[in-house]
Amino acid sequence: MAPSTTVSQRKKIKRKAPRGFLKRVFKRQKPHLRLETSGDLLVRFCPFFGWEWGGKVHLNCLLFVQRLAEESRMSAFENKCGVIKKEHVQAAAKVILKKSRG
Amino acid sequence: MAEAMADSYSQDSEPTTRTLLRRVLDTADTRTPQRRRSAGIGAQKSLLETPSSRRLSSSTKTNARRRSQRARSIGRLAHVQTSGHLEEQTPRTLLKNILLTAPESSIMMPESVVKPVPTPQVVQSSRQESIRGSLELQLPELEPPTTLALGLLAPGRRKRKLRLSVFQQGIDQGLPLSQEPCGNTSASSLTSSLNLTFATPLQPQSVHRPGLARRPPTRRAVDVGAFLQDLQDTSLALASPGNSLRTPVATLPTDTVLEDTQPFSQPLVGHSPSVYHSLPCLSYTEAKDAEKAVSHRTQRSGPKLQNHSPVKPAQLLAGKSKKVDALAMSFPNTSSAIAGEDEVEPLQGGVGENAEERMEESLSVSEVKDTTGTQGSVRTDKSDRNETSEAVEAKEPEGSSGDENISGRTASPELASSTTEFLQARQLQFLESAPPPSTAILSSEPLEPLPTRLPPRARTLGPRPRQDPHKTGLNHYVKLFSFYAKMPMEKKALEMVEKCLDKYFQHLCDDLEVFAAHAGRKTVRPEDLELLMRRQGLVNDQVSLHVLVERHLPLEYRQLLIPCAFSGNTVFPAQ
């Protein structure tokens, strides 16, 4: 197997939430909707202004990714494969996307 | 000396005076400048004594004039005065004869006459300013440079050096004239000669510096021998081109003076008038220019090189003649520019054009190399070195050129105890700064290598293709996926994850819109998200949202997401 085809497990990740990215995604999908921000004056001066929504979206997305990864890993184990392949992810995504439906 | 003095004092009768005068004339050559003092004493005595003593003093004066060789007009003046005095005296005929014959004898006097002059002069020049004050008559047109130098930096050592150079210049001027039977009288030569005569009485005071006094004679010995011969040769060789060369030589120094503050360029100007005086013999002027430049350089570099200096011009002349022959009058001006610019540019060292010129000079140097095949391999090596250095200098024209000159100057004498090698190096240096007129044309040469060099440097990877921000944001979650997977995975799998994430966000946004629309608002609130998570099965009765936040989000986010009671009966974030 060529080394370029596989990506080893990532040891370190950024735990910061990409708030801008999440907001952009939502605005791209639903430009007519607004995102709720905290109306509290005290919180206005907080650096994480309007974080509540973004944080929860991030948490939701994080959980989705985690579940997807777990599922794909399970599928990879089922196929007795040491490397997660495209099919494994696809199989896991079918399940998880259905579960994550609102 | 003592004998002469004794004779001058003892004599009274006419026949004795004649003999004495003859003896004085004979001994005048061998005498040292101290004779002047004796003459002064004689003059003092003459006031009280018989006219014969006065005659004596006058004769001594004439002798001094003879030794100075160049003060022809002053000598004439002295003649007139003495004759006026002597017409009343009885032995005037004798004196007249002597005096009339005197100038010719002085002119015909070989180097032996010349020798005693430089010794006191050099000592003088190396003296303090007080003595300098006494020598104010010396070369009035050469004074400004000295003052300039004093005003510029005024280190004592520099002054001395400058004076030495000035004096050497004067000597160089004097020599050819004295050897020239048809020497012309000029103001500069006059003053210099005067200075020479006046300088003599101060000699005994400076005896305590023998080292300075000794130096010039050695230099003289080299000078007279090789210099004259080469002059004769070059005069024949440079007969025709000399006239064309005349003008640039005269003009160049003045230009340099205008822009240059260096003291050494000034003497050239002072010298330029003398060039006109000695016009009949072109070779002489050439030689003088060359020697002058050499003398300046040597003075700067140090007294150590003085021995080499006088011989250089001869070689230079030879090389120049060769070059002229080789170029066949193609550039009549360039060869002349050698004389003119060489003196100035290396001294300046900071001229920006120097490098450009050198680039072209390599060509001329090569030409001359071909023509003068007799020159040894040393010269070729040096030329190569110069060329290489020129290539380097193209980038940094300033400073390095001057350094190179200095290095060449200092290194060559050390290497070559024999003067030939040094002369070759000198010749090269002269030739280096040869063709100024073609600078404008060839100035583009140093610029050419730069563009050729640039392309490889400029050949870099272009700006990275700007990635889609949406993709970069997705990449963050893809990384999270690879972290949670705890397994190696294929790249195609990652692409699949991206697709899944796209689908997920699409669903998420649709769900949020539906929830907000169901609540009758157009604003998505955090409650909608909580409801979504509850519907997704992530949040249930056992597992609240806060628990999930505590599990999966870092501490900073937890503080912001989970309401907590703070001091002052406040809850943050507000519920």
Side-chain angles (χ1 to χ4, degrees):
Chain A
M1 186 180 292
S4 62
T5 54
T6 60
V7 176
S8 63
Q9 185 208 351
R10 195 164 270 272
K11 306 287 181 188
K12 256 189 165 183
I13 53 165
K14 290 178 188 174
R15 305 204 63 179
K16 263 191 169 182
R19 294 184 295 153
F21 164 72
L22 292 173
K23 193 177 178 182
R24 238 180 297 136
V25 167
F26 186 76
K27 278 293 178 188
R28 177 188 285 181
Q29 302 278 346
K30 311 290 173 186
H32 56 280
L33 290 180
R34 293 177 62 213
L35 286 175
E36 167 75 11
T37 59
S38 173
D40 197 345
L41 287 174
L42 290 174
V43 183
R44 284 266 167 87
F45 303 99
C46 181
F48 300 98
F49 174 70
W51 159 245
E52 207 169 357
W53 180 87
K56 284 182 179 174
V57 171
H58 175 66
L59 178 62
N60 199 347
C61 186
L62 197 69
L63 289 173
F64 165 76
V65 167
Q66 189 174 356
R67 282 197 288 181
L68 182 66
E70 290 287 334
E71 195 64 33
S72 59
R73 188 164 186 256
M74 289 295 288
S75 65
F77 275 128
E78 283 174 5
N79 295 346
K80 300 182 180 176
C81 184
V83 178
I84 295 175
K85 288 183 182 177
K86 180 183 165 185
E87 299 82 33
H88 306 153
V89 175
Q90 204 167 4
K94 263 184 188 176
V95 179
I96 299 300
L97 277 175
K98 262 187 188 173
K99 280 189 182 177
S100 64
R101 232 175 3 180
Chain B
M1 190 61 165
E3 291 175 7
M5 287 177 70
D7 291 338
S8 66
Y9 294 147
S10 64
Q11 52 77 32
D12 277 333
S13 62
E14 292 180 2
T16 50
T17 53
R18 186 185 298 167
T19 53
L20 174 98
L21 284 170
R22 280 178 189 167
R23 200 182 304 160
V24 167
L25 287 172
D26 296 336
T27 54
D29 310 338
T30 56
R31 264 186 212 160
T32 54
Q34 282 187 351
R35 173 197 45 77
R36 258 301 281 186
R37 179 178 276 179
S38 71
I41 294 164
Q44 285 179 0
K45 284 194 176 183
S46 70
L47 294 176
L48 306 173
E49 283 184 358
T50 58
S52 63
S53 64
R54 204 182 297 165
R55 273 172 252 144
L56 246 187
S57 64
S58 64
S59 67
T60 51
K61 272 184 185 173
T62 55
N63 285 333
R65 168 176 50 79
R66 257 173 262 143
R67 279 178 49 206
S68 66
Q69 323 116 18
R70 267 182 295 141
R72 199 71 70 67
S73 64
I74 281 232
R76 294 265 160 73
L77 284 174
H79 280 296
V80 173
Q81 289 176 358
T82 50
S83 63
H85 281 295
L86 295 170
E87 300 230 26
E88 296 133 11
Q89 314 306 329
T90 42
R92 62 184 170 187
T93 56
L94 172 88
L95 283 172
K96 268 187 181 177
N97 290 333
I98 294 169
L99 292 172
L100 285 173
T101 54
E104 284 131 29
S105 67
S106 72
I107 286 169
M108 299 307 286
M109 281 299 178
E111 302 83 38
S112 61
V113 180
V114 182
K115 270 183 184 177
V117 182
T119 52
Q121 196 53 28
V122 167
V123 172
Q124 282 265 335
S125 61
S126 64
R127 277 238 201 107
Q128 305 300 322
E129 287 192 12
S130 60
I131 298 170
R132 179 71 177 174
S134 66
L135 294 175
E136 278 179 353
L137 286 175
Q138 179 183 13
L139 297 176
E141 69 273 328
L142 293 179
E143 279 294 323
T146 60
T147 54
L148 250 177
L150 299 182
L152 281 175
L153 289 176
R157 203 185 61 183
R158 259 214 163 177
K159 294 173 200 165
R160 285 177 190 172
K161 278 185 176 179
L162 183 88
R163 267 173 224 149
L164 269 174
S165 68
V166 167
F167 165 69
Q168 274 197 352
Q169 185 182 349
I171 285 178
D172 298 339
Q173 282 184 347
L175 249 184
L177 278 171
S178 68
Q179 286 142 8
E180 221 176 326
C182 62
N184 300 325
T185 59
S186 65
S188 61
S189 63
L190 237 179
T191 50
S192 63
S193 69
L194 268 177
N195 167 38
L196 291 179
T197 54
F198 292 148
T200 46
L202 292 167
Q203 192 263 347
Q205 298 174 358
S206 62
V207 167
H208 63 278
R209 291 188 183 178
L212 290 173
R214 234 179 278 135
R215 205 173 295 146
T218 60
R219 182 179 163 283
R220 184 66 49 193
V222 182
D223 194 348
V224 175
F227 189 58
L228 275 176
Q229 283 187 354
D230 287 320
L231 284 181
Q232 290 175 357
D233 299 340
T234 51
S235 64
L236 297 174
L238 289 173
S240 56
N243 284 326
S244 64
L245 302 183
R246 191 53 34 214
T247 50
V249 169
T251 54
L252 271 174
T254 56
D255 296 339
T256 54
V257 166
L258 287 177
E259 57 191 44
D260 188 18
T261 54
Q262 286 244 2
F264 294 108
S265 63
Q266 301 277 1
L268 300 176
V269 176
H271 176 59
S272 55
S274 68
V275 170
Y276 296 119
H277 297 305
S278 57
L279 259 176
C281 288
L282 300 171
S283 62
Y284 273 133
T285 57
E286 291 272 347
K288 267 188 262 177
D289 284 342
E291 188 168 2
K292 203 150 297 173
V294 169
S295 66
H296 296 326
R297 286 180 188 172
T298 50
Q299 291 296 341
R300 269 184 85 206
S301 59
K304 181 181 166 187
L305 306 176
Q306 274 193 346
N307 293 333
H308 302 277
S309 61
V311 195
K312 281 173 220 154
Q315 268 286 345
L316 169 75
L317 285 174
K320 209 178 284 181
S321 64
K322 284 175 186 173
K323 193 188 176 186
V324 168
D325 294 338
L327 296 178
M329 300 295 292
S330 59
F331 328 100
N333 292 329
T334 56
S335 59
S336 71
I338 294 171
E341 287 193 1
D342 285 347
E343 296 149 6
V344 183
E345 289 196 353
L347 297 177
Q348 288 178 355
V351 181
E353 300 172 357
N354 223 345
E356 297 176 1
E357 289 176 2
R358 292 203 172 185
M359 287 297 289
E360 306 132 18
E361 281 145 26
S362 63
L363 304 174
S364 67
V365 166
S366 62
E367 286 182 6
V368 175
K369 209 196 299 176
D370 295 336
T371 54
T372 62
T374 58
Q375 306 267 352
S377 63
V378 177
R379 204 200 142 175
T380 56
D381 291 341
K382 291 200 171 181
S383 67
D384 293 339
R385 190 194 66 185
N386 283 330
E387 286 175 359
T388 54
S389 62
E390 283 156 16
V392 176
E393 280 168 8
K395 301 164 193 169
E396 317 142 340
E398 296 181 358
S400 61
S401 61
D403 295 340
E404 198 224 345
N405 271 337
I406 291 168
S407 66
R409 211 178 303 151
T410 53
S412 51
E414 292 171 1
L415 293 173
S417 58
S418 63
T419 55
T420 56
E421 282 181 345
F422 181 67
L423 291 174
Q424 288 167 1
R426 173 63 52 191
Q427 205 171 350
L428 265 184
Q429 284 183 356
F430 282 162
L431 293 173
E432 278 173 11
S433 57
S438 58
T439 52
I441 303 166
L442 295 173
S443 61
S444 62
E445 275 190 8
L447 297 178
E448 283 179 356
L450 293 177
T452 54
R453 233 175 279 149
L454 282 175
R457 221 183 279 164
R459 187 188 60 189
T460 55
L461 291 175
R464 273 183 163 184
R466 180 82 177 175
Q467 280 190 346
D468 187 14
H470 180 67
K471 210 162 191 182
T472 55
L474 282 181
N475 195 24
H476 180 260
Y477 288 103
V478 170
K479 285 172 186 171
L480 280 177
F481 178 88
S482 75
F483 173 77
Y484 285 123
K486 301 172 184 172
M487 288 178 72
M489 53 193 297
E490 289 181 352
K491 282 189 175 180
K492 287 187 177 180
L494 288 179
E495 292 172 5
M496 200 66 180
V497 169
E498 281 184 10
K499 278 183 187 175
C500 291
L501 277 170
D502 268 337
K503 212 75 171 162
Y504 164 76
F505 279 119
Q506 197 173 340
H507 288 313
L508 180 75
C509 290
D510 290 340
D511 291 342
L512 286 176
E513 185 191 11
V514 170
F515 293 155
H518 179 71
R521 43 188 162 80
K522 287 191 171 181
T523 304
V524 178
R525 298 194 67 175
E527 294 91 51
D528 299 333
L529 268 172
E530 195 172 352
L531 178 63
L532 175 66
M533 291 178 79
R534 190 175 288 274
R535 284 198 45 93
Q536 283 174 349
L538 298 171
V539 174
N540 46 27
D541 294 337
Q542 286 80 30
V543 179
S544 73
L545 183 64
H546 299 312
V547 173
L548 287 176
V549 167
E550 283 178 11
R551 275 185 198 164
H552 299 286
L553 289 181
L555 184 61
E556 308 92 52
Y557 294 164
R558 189 197 304 174
Q559 286 175 353
L560 293 169
L561 287 175
I562 300 171
C564 190
F566 284 86
S567 65
N569 197 21
T570 55
V571 175
F572 180 83
Q575 197 76 30

